[in-house]
Amino acid sequence: MDAIILQVLNGLDKGSAYALIALGLTLIFGTLGVVNFAHGALFMIGAFCSVTLQRILNLSFETVDPTRTDFLGNPLKVKTPYVESWFGPEMGSTIIDWSVPLAILFAIPIMILIGFVMERGLIKHFYKRPHADQILVTFGLAIVLQEVIKYFYGANPIQTPAPEALTGVAQLTSTIVYPIWRIVYFCFAVAIIGAVFAFLQFTTFGMVVRAGMADRETVGLLGIDIDKRFTLMFGLAAAVAGLAGVMYGPINAPNYHMGMDFLVLSFVVVVVGGMGSLPGAVAAGFLLGILESFASMKEVITLVPGINQIIIYLVAIVILLTRPRGLMGRKGVME
Amino acid sequence: MFGLDKKDSTLLLIVALLTMLAPFILNPFPTDSGLAQFNAGYPDLMQRFVIFGIFAIGFNILFGLTGYLSFGHAAFLGVGSYSAVWMFKLLSMNILPAILLSVVIAGLFALVIGFVSLRRTGIYFSILTLAFAQMSFALAYSVLTPLTNGETGLQLTLDDPRILGASATADGSIPVTNLFGLEMRAATDMVVGPWSFTFSVGYYVCAVVMLISFYLAIRIFRSPFGMMLRAIKSNQQRLNYTGLNPKPYTLAAFVISGMYAGLAGGLMAAMDPLAGAERMQWTASGEVVLMTILGGAGTLIGPVLGAGAIKYMENIFSKINDNVLHGWFAFLPDGIEDFVVFVIHPFVGKGWHLTLGIIFMLVVTFLPGGLVEGGQRIARFFNRKKADDPKSASTEPAE
């Protein structure tokens, strides 16, 4: 029993990452009708936002402490981060410690801006082109973004540790222990997904966007500038992907190809959920995440060797062949 | 010639000439000159040009003609490599049976995957092929290790049976791949003044195979079967209403392109007898998509050009480092020289992927027909100029 609960928990945190990326992908596809292969790169850029903030917070100046000497007998040089000198050592080190959660605030404007630039600068010109062209140009963009990040940050993964208070494990029941940060990640993902759905469901803006997703032309005829709203949705989708990346940093140290690794799986998730269906994307994300972690249980692997490597693809194939439009796909989308 | 019309025969002849003279054409710079590093005429790279050319020609038969975008073609290449290496291990070091087996096995593999994947179209088809390829990749790494030797990759060993050949040569080393005794590794050098040209048996074997597959591709493009595939691309629904079932045609195209990929994989193993799972990863599938689009999908020569361009960049561009750059721009004043090198630096050497990504984006955005369309536009531009002159001179007043 414990093993099953543990696997569900394990699946939830991977599933949250899949669900968040798939949600953004579906938002873009549902609103703009564009298949965005650069979405994984946005996830990766989000993770590097937190790396950047961490570096900014650690900017420090050197002072010479005449009372102490280093091992050569010279006066000791002490590095003090600027934040520590501005806010006092205690507050300063707390800020540095909490750099990953703080990076959420830092990443939102950056990701929205990147989303705007991408949509207005590139994607806009591809609305009328075939889906294959959209896939290809965003694939090229993904390569470019990845290489730019590699140029500035190098090829090695960079650690972005979680705050001291949120590391370690939580004793959930007498037998189940689970890393705190993964619980945080899951709650964060649920909050973001809830916020996006609430935004679409309960605001006038969201209503207009949903109307535009259903019938773009009619909404335009009503005198609403739907393009402007869709651009904003692109920014929002980019921010969702970026935040998923920021918070994923402590689980897996960010490196420049993490986006591509997630992209392939998230596309499978989106297709399994059904192109253009937001609830489908989220459900499929969690479903595949949980199935993946179940398949990596020892008992299952001894029963069916190698199943943990292929379960996601296997499920995708079965679902696509039995339910042609995925779990909750609409008719006539991308066929 | 061979049942081709005049235009296609010319194209085939040009390609044949280019491939046969490749050791000269790709080595335009004297060996000791500063530009020698742009020489691409060494056997290893030339073999890769033609092998990936075959791979891309095959991919183009599926994508260019039917419009089905497969993201899992590398799986067939990998399967082809594995079967060829197994043939070397079990039967003999002759490459002919190995390549035959790799084509057959890849074809069977494509038949199964295609039969299932082709039940869906659009992005669902892409994801299905991707899923199958990733599954094969993951299985080759883990469960199928007895068959694929996992991470290490499948290699020849001294205690392989090799029924029709020797397990080891007289001096106790692993025998090399050959075609009825003609060793693939054999090469002759020709030195003309400061130039040096290498003619390798392996390259010419690959080149001949490439020419045959190119010829077959032309025949497929021009056949009624090829017309049918184009009809599927332009309007599948209308085809259904005419009472035709497109499935057998798409499946045939899928299997043919899978066999081309298997052939490429088999040749790759024949040139260098080892096979690894990374050949099946989705990035490898993405690479052949890039090659085909960059050269021009749906055209005959495009995929070969694209394969050549990408492999050239991968092997030559990536070797340019800061020292080389400083050498080129030494004539500039120091400050400007440093600045120019600083600007170019991210795009060459290890950053060649960046250049590739940018070029690819530009091509998709402005030249949807790839390099071939670019060439046609330039040709049209010059033709128009030429055509304009006599016309303007010969305008005579009506009546």
Side-chain angles (χ1 to χ4, degrees), chain B residues 194-236:
Chain B
W195 286 276
S196 126
F197 306 107
T198 314
F199 302 95
S200 117
V201 176
Y203 168 71
Y204 277 100
V205 170
C206 293
V208 168
V209 175
M210 204 263 305
L211 283 176
I212 296 171
S213 26
F214 187 64
Y215 169 72
L216 286 177
I218 299 181
R219 289 305 294 263
I220 290 174
F221 266 61
R222 302 290 179 242
S223 65
F225 172 69
M227 275 311 251
M228 210 61 181
L229 297 182
R230 283 203 194 86
I232 291 168
K233 184 182 187 179
S234 58
N235 197 335
Q236 197 162 356

Side-chain angles (χ1 to χ4, degrees), chain B residues 157-393:
Chain B
T157 51
L158 280 173
D159 46 5
D160 292 329
R162 272 190 278 284
I163 307 167
L164 297 181
S167 293
T169 53
D171 54 352
S173 56
I174 298 171
V176 292
T177 51
N178 60 59
L179 180 66
F180 302 115
L182 205 58
E183 285 188 4
M184 288 300 117
R185 234 185 267 158
T188 46
D189 283 329
M190 182 172 106
V191 180
V192 184
W195 286 276
S196 126
F197 306 107
T198 314
F199 302 95
S200 117
V201 176
Y203 168 71
Y204 277 100
V205 170
C206 293
V208 168
V209 175
M210 204 263 305
L211 283 176
I212 296 171
S213 26
F214 187 64
Y215 169 72
L216 286 177
I218 299 181
R219 289 305 294 263
I220 290 174
F221 266 61
R222 302 290 179 242
S223 65
F225 172 69
M227 275 311 251
M228 210 61 181
L229 297 182
R230 283 203 194 86
I232 291 168
K233 184 182 187 179
S234 58
N235 197 335
Q236 197 162 356
Q237 197 133 33
R238 193 171 286 178
L239 213 61
N240 283 332
Y241 289 156
T242 344
L244 283 159
N245 181 9
K247 184 82 190 286
Y249 293 96
T250 44
L251 185 58
F254 194 87
V255 172
I256 291 173
S257 84
M259 285 163 83
Y260 268 80
L263 175 66
L267 274 177
M268 220 181 259
M271 295 306 120
D272 187 9
L274 48 88
E278 71 284 344
R279 279 185 195 166
M280 305 170 110
Q281 215 180 355
W282 77 274
T283 40
S285 305
E287 198 181 16
V288 73
V289 179
L290 292 186
M291 286 171 181
T292 311
I293 306 287
L294 194 67
T299 60
L300 281 167
I301 190 73
V304 187
L305 285 181
I310 287 185
K311 285 290 147 191
Y312 187 82
M313 273 174 71
E314 182 185 321
N315 289 282
I316 306 291
F317 245 61
S318 58
K319 270 190 280 178
I320 305 171
N321 55 23
D322 274 6
N323 288 334
V324 180
L325 285 178
H326 276 292
W328 288 352
F329 296 106
F331 63 92
L332 292 169
D334 270 356
I336 301 176
E337 180 190 327
D338 287 342
F339 178 72
V340 170
V341 171
F342 173 74
V343 170
I344 299 180
H345 171 79
F347 297 97
V348 295
K350 282 181 189 155
W352 75 274
H353 267 116
L354 182 61
T355 323
L356 177 67
I358 292 174
I359 292 180
F360 184 69
M361 278 172 72
L362 291 176
V363 164
V364 174
T365 314
F366 297 109
L367 279 178
L371 295 176
V372 170
E373 190 188 329
Q376 281 168 348
R377 279 195 193 176
I378 294 171
R380 221 179 302 147
F381 180 73
F382 281 108
N383 282 341
R384 201 187 303 145
K385 256 191 184 167
K386 241 186 269 168
D388 278 353
D389 290 333
K391 219 186 268 170
S392 57

Side-chain angles (χ1 to χ4, degrees), chain A residues 22-313:
Chain A
L23 180 71
L25 269 173
T26 310
L27 268 182
I28 293 176
F29 181 76
T31 52
L32 301 167
V34 169
V35 183
N36 183 18
F37 253 56
H39 209 71
L42 292 173
F43 174 76
M44 182 255 317
I45 290 179
F48 275 90
C49 278
S50 84
V51 172
T52 314
L53 186 74
Q54 189 187 344
R55 291 204 173 160
I56 293 176
L57 290 180
N58 276 313
L59 280 182
S60 36
F61 59 91
E62 276 186 354
T63 45
V64 176
D65 187 350
T67 57
R68 288 185 287 169
T69 53
D70 62 11
F71 64 98
L72 287 176
N74 301 320
L76 186 71
K77 285 180 184 159
V78 185
K79 276 192 172 179
T80 324
Y82 283 104
V83 273
E84 283 192 16
S85 73
W86 293 338
F87 299 105
E90 205 141 294
M91 184 69 188
S93 58
T94 314
I95 290 178
I96 292 175
D97 187 31
W98 283 77
S99 70
V100 171
L102 282 176
I104 294 176
L105 300 177
F106 178 69
I108 289 176
I110 293 184
M111 293 312 297
I112 291 183
L113 189 74
I114 290 177
F116 277 179
V117 172
M118 241 173 93
E119 203 272 337
R120 286 290 98 185
L122 182 75
I123 312 265
K124 188 178 80 175
H125 307 287
F126 280 82
Y127 291 155
K128 300 239 163 69
R129 303 270 291 265
H131 285 306
D133 280 10
Q134 298 168 352
I135 293 178
L136 294 168
V137 81
T138 45
F139 185 52
L141 181 68
I143 296 176
V144 170
L145 289 177
Q146 187 174 315
E147 288 301 309
V148 169
I149 292 289
K150 183 176 150 196
Y151 180 69
F152 284 108
Y153 293 91
N156 295 324
I158 301 166
Q159 300 289 341
T160 50
E164 194 75 46
L166 298 180
T167 50
V169 291
Q171 193 84 31
L172 291 181
T173 65
S174 55
T175 43
I176 299 177
V177 286
Y178 199 67
I180 298 177
W181 184 257
R182 295 186 177 228
I183 300 173
V184 171
Y185 192 81
F186 172 66
C187 296
F188 174 78
V190 170
I192 294 273
I193 292 169
V196 169
F197 274 93
F199 177 71
L200 286 174
Q201 215 66 37
F202 301 127
T203 62
T204 321
F205 187 95
M207 193 181 70
V208 173
V209 167
R210 274 187 297 132
M213 282 166 86
D215 189 342
R216 182 184 188 139
E217 207 170 12
T218 313
V219 174
L221 289 175
L222 290 171
I224 295 170
D225 188 354
I226 192 73
D227 283 357
K228 208 176 265 173
R229 287 177 165 78
F230 279 178
T231 309
L232 212 70
M233 290 313 287
F234 196 102
L236 184 71
V240 170
L243 292 185
V246 168
M247 295 295 277
Y248 205 71
I251 298 177
N252 243 349
N255 55 8
Y256 73 99
H257 54 75
M258 68 190 291
M260 284 290 186
D261 301 344
F262 264 90
L263 176 83
V264 173
L265 286 176
S266 335
F267 253 100
V268 175
V269 168
V270 169
V271 169
V272 167
M275 293 297 286
S277 158
L278 293 173
V282 174
F286 283 114
L287 177 75
L288 290 183
I290 291 173
L291 279 178
E292 193 181 14
S293 70
F294 268 112
S296 34
M297 282 168 76
K298 265 210 189 82
E299 293 84 349
V300 182
I301 291 183
T302 43
L303 206 64
V304 191
I307 187 79
N308 57 330
Q309 308 269 347
I310 59 167
I311 178 81
I312 287 193
Y313 302 108

Side-chain angles (χ1 to χ4, degrees), chain B residues 93-114:
Chain B
M93 292 305 281
N94 194 333
I95 62 169
L96 208 59
I99 289 177
L100 277 181
L101 182 78
S102 59
V103 172
V104 170
I105 298 278
L108 289 176
F109 206 61
L111 189 69
V112 175
I113 292 183

